[in-house]
Amino acid sequence: MIRALLFVALAAPIVAIAGPVAAEEKVDNAVAPAAEKKVCRKIGETGSRMAKRFCLTPTQWQQVDANNSQSASTILNRNADQVQH
């Protein structure tokens, strides 16, 4: 009997949370624009002979490339500053 009451007490908040989320998903799916096609790239990983495959949208790849370029510039500039001093 105690187990049943405990189960009901613990399950009630989960049901209350899950209900509105499902309704929001239906609204989001109806309004969502057509999904971008994903582009896959094989990227080598240090310490492994096998390249891993990553699939992202073109917009996400542009962001990854921009972040990588910014990181490389930061590292090169940091090293150049250390050499000059």
Side-chain angles (χ1 to χ4, degrees), residues 29-48:
N29 289 340
V31 179
E36 289 185 75
K37 186 176 180 182
K38 293 198 177 201
V39 177
C40 298
R41 293 184 187 175
K42 288 185 178 181
I43 300 175
E45 187 174 323
T46 303
S48 175

Side-chain angles (χ1 to χ4, degrees), residues 66-78:
N67 287 344
N68 288 342
S69 178
Q70 179 64 35
S71 296
S73 296
T74 302
I75 291 170
L76 290 173
N77 290 338
R78 185 181 318 143

Side-chain angles (χ1 to χ4, degrees), residues 7-75:
F7 176 76
V8 171
L10 293 175
I14 295 171
V15 172
I17 292 171
V21 172
E24 289 175 9
E25 287 178 9
K26 290 179 185 176
V27 172
D28 290 342
N29 289 340
V31 179
E36 289 185 75
K37 186 176 180 182
K38 293 198 177 201
V39 177
C40 298
R41 293 184 187 175
K42 288 185 178 181
I43 300 175
E45 187 174 323
T46 303
S48 175
R49 294 182 187 191
M50 300 289 292
K52 288 192 175 182
R53 186 173 175 196
F54 294 94
C55 299
L56 300 172
T57 63
T59 306
Q60 292 171 326
W61 279 121
Q62 287 177 351
Q63 184 64 39
V64 167
D65 292 339
N67 287 344
N68 288 342
S69 178
Q70 179 64 35
S71 296
S73 296
T74 302
I75 291 170

